[in-house]
C-alpha cells in the first residue's frame, strides 16, 4: 500500500475552519430562530450555504493536507456534488434546530440523516480523486467514521437547538460549543481518511483533468474564511440592527406609554381616557349596552398638600390610585385627569351596580392612610353619569359626571350623586360664577363691611369685625354664603383672604391715625386659609406694611376649623400667636373640641355662637350652656364675646352672665368704613343730647 503523509499547517487550518464553521452554524441557527417570514427563509438559505461551505472547506483542506508519492487531483463535478451535499445537510440541520421543540426521537433521526449526509459529502469528495484502481476502505474504521459523523451531528443539533437564542450567556457558551463541534468534525474526517488504503501502483485519474492541488489549498482556505467571515459579520450587523430596532421600538413604546399615562400614578391620562371612552361608546352602541362614568374628586386634599408638602400629597395620590385599582374590576378603566381628580369607566347593567362601586370607593378611600409616618384622612365625592340615559357623547358624559360630582360636594361631601338634568343649569351657573370670582380681585369688586364690637352692655366700641362683601358688576351684591363656599372649593379663598387681611390692617391703621388707638379688628379665617403654609407670612407682611401693632389684630377661627386637624392647627396658631396677634375661637359650643386641645390652643377669646344667643331666655337650656361656656372661658383666662345680640333682654342677660363683649344688630349693623364712622358720630350726638 502507498504510504501517505499530512501537512501539519494545513491540518491546523482544517481545525480552525471546522471551529469557525461550527460557530457560524450556531450563530446562523440563532438568526433563523429569531426571524420570521421572508427574513427567516433568507437566513436559512444564507446560513445553509455558509455552514455547508465551511464544513466542505474543512473536508477539502484536510484532504489537501494529505499527500501520496503520486500526483493528486479532484474531479470538478464530483467536487461540486460534495459541496451541494454539505449545503443540503446544513439546510436540514438549521431547519431542524429552529423548530419549537426537539424531542429525542426527532433528534436521533436528525443526527442519523445529517451524519449520513456529512459522510456522503466526505466519501464523495474522496471519490473525486478517481483513483485507479479504486481505494480500499478498512471496514471497521469506515463504519467508525460514519458512527462518529452521526454522533457528532446529533450532538451538534442538540447544542445548536439549546444555544439558538441570542443572549449574552448563549454567545459565550457558543465559543466552547464550537470548539467541541469543530474537534468532532475533524475527528470524523481524519477517521474516514484513516480508513482509506491506496494499493501500490495506483494513480489519480483526476490528476490531469481535475483541479490542481498546488493552488487549491490556498483558494479553499481564502474563500472559506471569507465566506465564514462575511456570514458572521452580516449576522453581527443584523444583530446590532435588530438591537437598535428593538431599542427604538422600546423607546417608542415608552414614549407612547408616557404620552398616554399619568407620570405619577401610572394610570391612563386624559388622552387615553378619551380614546377608551370613545371605544366604549361605540361598543356599547353596537351591543345596546350601558356603562357609567364615575368622576371622583378628593375632599380635603389641598389642605394635606399645604400642610405636609407636595411630596406627601403625591404619595397620597399614588395610594388612592392603588385603592381605586383594587376596587374596580379588571375590564374597567381607572384614569387620573390631574390634581386630585380621577375617572372610572364601568360596564354596568343597572344603575345600582354603579352605586355599589361608588360606595366601595368611598369606603376604601375614607380609611386612614399611613404615609411617611403621617396618618392622613381624606374622603371622596363622586358624580355618576350613565350612557345612554344621561348623555350620548364623551364630552357630555364628562361634563355631566363632573356636575354630579360638584353636587355631591354641595350635599356634604364623602358621598356620590347620579346626574340629573337640573345639575347642568347649576353647573353652568357655578362655572360662570367661578370665572367672575377669579376676576373680582382684578376688578377690585370686593369690599369690607365692619360690624362694631361693644364693651358690655352698651359700649363704648372697642373694635370691629371685618366682613367680606362682593359687589359684582354682573351679579350685583353677592351674599357671602353664595361665593365663599365656591372660593374655598376652588382655592380662590387664599388670594381673597390675603386681600382681606391686607385691607383690614390698612383700614385699622387709618383709624388709629385718626385717634381711635384702642380699637382692634377681627378677621375670619377659613379652613383652607388655616392650612395655607403662607398664612403666617401674609399676616406678618400686612402688619409691617401698614405699621399696625399685632395686638390690634384678632384672627377668628371656628371651633370645627381648629379641630379638623388639631395638631397642624396648633402649629399654625402658635406661629400666629408668636407674632402678637390675638386668636379667637368662633362659634364655640357647636363643634367637637376636646378640653385638652382647647387648653393647648393659644387663644385669647371665646366667641359664643349666635345659635345659643337667638333663643336665649331666662332659665332655659341656652342660658345654662352660655353660663357654662363663660365659666370655662374665665377659668382658662379668656375674654368672652357673644354675637347675634338683637334684643335688649339678650343684652342684659349676657352682661349678667359675664360676657365681656357684645356684637349684633342691636348694637350696630355691618357697614362700610365711612358709614360706620358716620353712624358712630350720630350715636354720640344722640347720647349727648
Amino acid at each position: 500500500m502507498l504510504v501517505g503523509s499530512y501537512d501539519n499547517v494545513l491540518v491546523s487550518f482544517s481545525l480552525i475552519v471546522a471551529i469557525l464553521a461550527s460557530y457560524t452554524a450556531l450563530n446562523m441557527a440563532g438568526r433563523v430562530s429569531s426571524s420570521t417570514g421572508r427574513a427567516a427563509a433568507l437566513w436559512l438559505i444564507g446560513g445553509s450555504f455558509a455552514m455547508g461551505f465551511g464544513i466542505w472547506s474543512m473536508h477539502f483542506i484536510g484532504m489537501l493536507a494529505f499527500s501520496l508519492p503520486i500526483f493528486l487531483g479532484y474531479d470538478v463535478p464530483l467536487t461540486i456534488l460534495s459541496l451541494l451535499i454539505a449545503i443540503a445537510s446544513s439546510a436540514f440541520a438549521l431547519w431542524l434546530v429552529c423548530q419549537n421543540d426537539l424531542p429525542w426521537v426527532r433528534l436521533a433521526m436528525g443526527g442519523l440523516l445529517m451524519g449520513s449526509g456529512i459522510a456522503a459529502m466526505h466519501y464523495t469528495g474522496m471519490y473525486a480523486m478517481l483513483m485507479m484502481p479504486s481505494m480500499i476502505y478498512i471496514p471497521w474504521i469506515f463504519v467508525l467514521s460514519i458512527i462518529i459523523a452521526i454522533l457528532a451531528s446529533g450532538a451538534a443539533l442538540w447544542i445548536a437547538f439549546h444555544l439558538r437564542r441570542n443572549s449574552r450567556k448563549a454567545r459565550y457558551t457558543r465559543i466552547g460549543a464550537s470548539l467541541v463541534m469543530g474537534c468532532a468534525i475533524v475527528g470524523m474526517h481524519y477517521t474516514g481518511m484513516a480508513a482509506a488504503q491506496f494499493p501500490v501502483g495506483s494513480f489519480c485519474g483526476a490528476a490531469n483533468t481535475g483541479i490542481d492541488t498546488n493552488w487549491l489549498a490556498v483558494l479553499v482556505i481564502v474563500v472559506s474564511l471569507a465566506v465564514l467571515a462575511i456570514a458572521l459579520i452580516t449576522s453581527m450587523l443584523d444583530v446590532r440592527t435588530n438591537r437598535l430596532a428593538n431599542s427604538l421600538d422600546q423607546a417608542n413604546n415608552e414614549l407612547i406609554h408616557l404620552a398616554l399615562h399619568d407620570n405619577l400614578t401610572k394610570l391612563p391620562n386624559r388622552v387615553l381616557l378619551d380614546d377608551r371612552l370613545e371605544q366604549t361608546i361605540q361598543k356599547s352602541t353596537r351591543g345596546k349596552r350601558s356603562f357609567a362614568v364615575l368622576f371622583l374628586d378628593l375632599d380635603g386634599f389641598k389642605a394635606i398638600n399645604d400642610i405636609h408638602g407636595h411630596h406627601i400629597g403625591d404619595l397620597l395620590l399614588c395610594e388612592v390610585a392603588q385603592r381605586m385599582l383594587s376596587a374596580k374590576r379588571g375590564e374597567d378603566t381607572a384614569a387620573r385627569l390631574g390634581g386630585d381628580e380621577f375617572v372610572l369607566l364601568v360596564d354596568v347593567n343597572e344603575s345600582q351596580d354603579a352605586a355599589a362601586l361608588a360606595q366601595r370607593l368611598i369606603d376604601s378611600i375614607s380609611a386612614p392612610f399611613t404615609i411617611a409616618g403621617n396618618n392622613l384622612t381624606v374622603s371622596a365625592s363622586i358624580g355618576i353619569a350613565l350612557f345612554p340615559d344621561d348623555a350620548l357623547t364623551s364630552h357630555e358624559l364628562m361634563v355631566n359626571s363632573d356636575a354630579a360630582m360638584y353636587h355631591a360636594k354641595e350635599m356634604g361631601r364623602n358621598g356620590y350623586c347620579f346626574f340629573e338634568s337640573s345639575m347642568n343649569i347649576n353647573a353652568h351657573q357655578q362655572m360662570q360664577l367661578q370665572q367672575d370670582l377669579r376676576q373680582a380681585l382684578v376688578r377690585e369688586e370686593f369690599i369690607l363691611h365692619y360690624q362694631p364690637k361693644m364693651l358690655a352692655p352698651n359700649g363704648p366700641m372697642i373694635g370691629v369685625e371685618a366682613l367680606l362683601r362682593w359687589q359684582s358688576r354682573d351679579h350685583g351684591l353677592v351674599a357671602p354664603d353664595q361665593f365663599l363656599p365656591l372660593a374655598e372649593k376652588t382655592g380662590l379663598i387664599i388670594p381673597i383672604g390675603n386681600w382681606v387681611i391686607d385691607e383690614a390692617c390698612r383700614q385699622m391703621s387709618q383709624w388709629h391715625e385718626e385717634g381711635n388707638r384702642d380699637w382692634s379688628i377681627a378677621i375670619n379665617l377659613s379652613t383652607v386659609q388655616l392650612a395655607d403654609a403662607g398664612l403666617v407670612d401674609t399676616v406678618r407682611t400686612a402688619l409691617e406694611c401698614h405699621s399696625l401693632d399685632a395686638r390690634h389684630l384678632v384672627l377668628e377661627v371656628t371651633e370645627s376649623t381648629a379641630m379638623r386637624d388639631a395638631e397642624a392647627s396648633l402649629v399654625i396658631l402658635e406661629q400666629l400667636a408668636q407674632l402678637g396677634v390675638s386668636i379667637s375661637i368662633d362659634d364655640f359650643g357647636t363643634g367637637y373640641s376636646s378640653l385638652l386641645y382647647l387648653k393647648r390652643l393659644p387663644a385669647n377669646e371665646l366667641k359664643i355662637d349666635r345659635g345659643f344667643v337667638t333663643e336665649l331666655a331666662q332659665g332655659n337650656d341656652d342660658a345654662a350652656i352660655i353660663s357654662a361656656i363663660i365659666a370655662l372661658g374665665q377659668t382658662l383666662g379668656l375674654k368672652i364675646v357673644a354675637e347675634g345680640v338683637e334684643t335688649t333682654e339678650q343684652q342684659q342677660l349676657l352682661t349678667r352672665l359675664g360676657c365681656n363683649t357684645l356684637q349684633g344688630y342691636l348694637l350696630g349693623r355691618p357697614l362700610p368704613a365711612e358709614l360706620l364712622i358716620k353712624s358712630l358720630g350720630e350715636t354720640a350726638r344722640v347720647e349727648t343730647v
Side-chain angles (χ1 to χ4, degrees):
M1 296 293 175
L2 296 177
V3 179
S5 61
Y6 287 93
D7 186 329
N8 292 330
V9 174
L10 291 179
V11 170
S12 300
F13 268 110
S14 69
L15 177 59
I16 293 172
V17 171
I19 294 172
L20 287 175
S22 300
Y23 186 82
T24 303
L26 295 175
N27 198 277
M28 291 298 103
R31 300 308 310 136
V32 175
S33 64
S34 62
S35 304
T36 57
R38 184 180 179 184
L42 292 175
W43 276 113
L44 180 60
I45 295 171
S48 301
F49 178 79
M51 177 181 171
F53 192 86
I55 296 174
W56 177 85
S57 298
M58 174 270 143
H59 159 74
F60 254 81
I61 294 172
M63 290 190 64
L64 293 172
F66 178 73
S67 62
L68 290 170
I70 59 174
F71 291 103
L72 297 177
Y74 300 93
D75 181 70
V76 173
L78 290 175
T79 302
I80 295 175
L81 177 60
S82 67
L83 173 60
L84 295 177
I85 294 173
I87 294 174
S89 300
S90 299
F92 169 74
L94 287 178
W95 173 83
L96 188 65
V97 300
C98 293
Q99 302 304 304
N100 293 330
D101 55 6
L102 186 62
W104 288 107
V105 174
R106 184 183 299 172
L107 176 62
M109 292 300 297
L112 177 62
L113 292 175
M114 184 180 175
S116 300
I118 291 176
M121 177 270 302
H122 173 77
Y123 288 108
T124 300
M126 292 191 66
Y127 185 73
M129 290 189 292
L130 302 178
M131 296 300 296
M132 296 293 179
S134 298
M135 65 186 74
I136 301 171
Y137 291 99
I138 301 174
W140 72 271
I141 300 179
F142 175 81
V143 173
L144 178 61
S145 68
I146 296 177
I147 292 174
I148 293 175
I150 293 173
L151 294 177
S153 297
L157 291 175
W158 186 88
I159 293 172
F161 178 79
H162 288 87
L163 297 181
R164 58 183 180 165
R165 300 302 179 192
N166 287 308
S167 63
R168 183 177 297 274
K169 181 179 180 181
R171 288 197 296 272
Y172 291 124
T173 309
R174 282 176 187 165
I175 297 175
S178 300
L179 293 173
V180 175
M181 289 173 60
C183 293
I185 294 172
V186 169
M188 175 270 161
H189 171 80
Y190 288 109
T191 301
M193 292 291 291
Q197 291 186 319
F198 302 89
V200 176
S202 298
F203 68 94
C204 179
N208 297 321
T209 60
I211 304 173
D212 187 0
T213 58
N214 293 328
W215 58 270
L216 182 58
V218 176
L219 177 63
V220 171
I221 291 173
V222 171
V223 173
S224 62
L225 292 178
V227 169
L228 295 176
I230 291 172
L232 289 175
I233 292 173
T234 303
S235 176
M236 292 173 62
L237 290 176
D238 184 72
V239 169
R240 293 189 177 184
T241 302
N242 284 345
R243 287 179 185 168
L244 178 59
N246 291 335
S247 298
L248 291 175
D249 287 342
Q250 183 179 359
N252 186 55
N253 291 335
E254 290 177 356
L255 288 174
I256 293 175
H257 186 273
L258 289 175
L260 299 178
H261 290 78
D262 175 54
N263 190 44
L264 177 63
T265 63
K266 311 307 178 185
L267 294 178
N269 60 13
R270 185 185 295 272
V271 176
L272 183 54
L273 173 65
D274 290 342
D275 179 70
R276 291 189 178 177
L277 187 52
E278 290 292 345
Q279 292 182 19
T280 305
I281 290 175
Q282 294 176 11
K283 182 178 68 175
S284 299
T285 301
R286 290 193 301 267
K288 296 182 179 181
R289 295 176 56 84
S290 62
F291 70 91
V293 175
L294 278 64
F295 198 115
L296 183 150
D297 185 88
L298 298 180
D299 308 319
F301 174 73
K302 187 178 186 304
I304 290 177
N305 240 359
D306 293 337
I307 294 173
H308 298 283
H310 290 281
H311 175 65
I312 299 298
D314 289 346
L315 294 177
L316 175 60
L317 290 175
C318 292
E319 290 294 327
V320 169
Q322 290 303 313
R323 293 190 182 184
M324 289 179 62
L325 292 174
S326 299
K328 78 176 188 68
R329 296 169 302 184
E331 64 271 18
D332 300 333
T333 295
R336 180 187 178 215
L337 298 185
D340 58 346
E341 293 181 338
F342 298 85
V343 170
L344 275 85
L345 301 184
V346 186
D347 286 328
V348 295
N349 295 322
E350 298 179 353
S351 60
Q352 289 84 348
D353 298 335
L357 175 59
Q359 190 59 54
R360 287 203 307 272
L361 286 169
I362 291 169
D363 295 340
S364 176
I365 293 174
S366 62
F369 294 85
T370 301
I371 298 177
N374 300 293
N375 293 322
L376 307 176
T377 302
V378 293
S379 59
S381 296
I382 300 176
I384 306 173
L386 300 174
F387 175 91
D389 297 340
D390 297 329
L392 296 176
T393 68
S394 59
H395 175 72
E396 291 174 343
L397 283 167
M398 292 296 293
V399 170
N400 292 348
S401 59
D402 187 24
M405 181 273 293
Y406 276 112
H407 189 72
K409 284 186 176 292
E410 292 172 359
M411 295 296 291
R413 305 187 175 191
N414 195 31
Y416 64 87
C417 282
F418 282 92
F419 172 77
E420 297 177 2
S421 57
S422 60
M423 294 178 183
N424 262 338
I425 300 174
N426 295 334
H428 178 75
Q429 292 174 346
Q430 288 289 307
M431 290 179 64
Q432 185 61 50
L433 191 64
Q434 179 178 333
Q435 292 176 1
D436 294 340
L437 190 59
R438 293 183 185 277
Q439 296 296 320
L441 274 175
V442 179
R443 297 174 178 173
E444 298 182 350
E445 295 177 351
F446 290 116
I447 56 176
L448 290 182
H449 286 188
Y450 303 91
Q451 185 173 28
K453 296 173 69 174
M454 298 293 188
L455 190 66
N458 296 311
M461 190 179 84
I462 59 174
V464 295
E465 179 179 356
L467 301 172
L468 181 63
R469 300 292 185 267
W470 179 17
Q471 186 64 51
S472 171
R473 298 180 187 177
D474 302 320
H475 308 285
L477 185 63
V478 183
D481 59 353
Q482 291 182 357
F483 72 86
L484 283 179
L486 181 61
E488 290 194 21
K489 181 170 59 177
T490 59
L492 291 173
I493 194 64
I494 298 298
I496 293 174
N498 292 344
W499 177 86
V500 171
I501 293 171
D502 182 77
E503 175 61 18
C505 290
R506 184 201 66 78
Q507 183 60 63
M508 184 51 64
S509 178
Q510 178 180 331
W511 282 335
H512 281 192
E513 291 177 359
E514 294 172 356
N516 304 300
R517 295 190 172 276
D518 294 332
W519 290 0
S520 62
I521 189 165
I523 302 171
N524 291 284
L525 293 180
S526 71
T527 303
V528 178
Q529 282 180 280
L530 188 60
D532 180 26
L535 175 63
V536 177
D537 290 336
T538 298
V539 173
R540 181 188 296 110
T541 301
L543 292 172
E544 294 174 352
C545 179
H546 301 293
S547 301
L548 180 65
D549 194 322
R551 63 189 177 89
H552 294 293
L553 177 62
V554 180
L555 298 178
E556 295 187 359
V557 182
T558 63
E559 181 186 9
S560 57
T561 294
M563 293 300 106
R564 182 167 185 173
D565 190 343
E567 293 297 336
S569 298
L570 282 173
V571 174
I572 299 298
L573 292 175
E574 286 174 355
Q575 292 177 356
L576 291 170
Q578 290 173 3
L579 294 179
V581 303
S582 297
I583 305 296
S584 175
I585 306 301
D586 196 6
D587 296 342
F588 188 79
T590 62
Y592 47 85
S593 60
S594 69
L595 293 180
L596 176 62
Y597 276 114
L598 181 61
K599 182 179 178 181
R600 293 175 59 191
L601 287 174
N604 311 95
E605 178 180 284
L606 286 184
K607 198 169 187 181
I608 300 173
D609 181 68
R610 67 175 65 247
F612 297 121
V613 176
T614 301
E615 303 295 331
L616 182 62
Q618 185 69 39
N620 68 358
D621 292 339
D622 289 328
I625 293 174
I626 291 175
S627 179
I629 293 174
I630 292 173
L632 174 63
Q634 290 174 344
T635 301
L636 297 175
L638 305 176
K639 292 190 296 182
I640 308 299
V641 179
E643 62 178 350
V645 181
E646 298 182 356
T647 67
T648 303
E649 182 184 5
Q650 293 169 351
Q651 178 187 30
Q652 293 173 352
L653 185 54
L654 288 168
T655 302
R656 189 162 55 251
L657 290 174
C659 283
N660 307 105
T661 306
L662 303 179
Q663 180 182 344
Y665 279 8
L666 177 67
L667 304 170
R669 291 177 175 272
L671 294 170
E674 60 276 8
L675 294 180
L676 176 66
I677 298 300
K678 182 179 179 180
S679 67
L680 291 175
E682 292 175 352
T683 302
R685 284 195 297 273
V686 171
E687 292 176 352
T688 301
V689 173

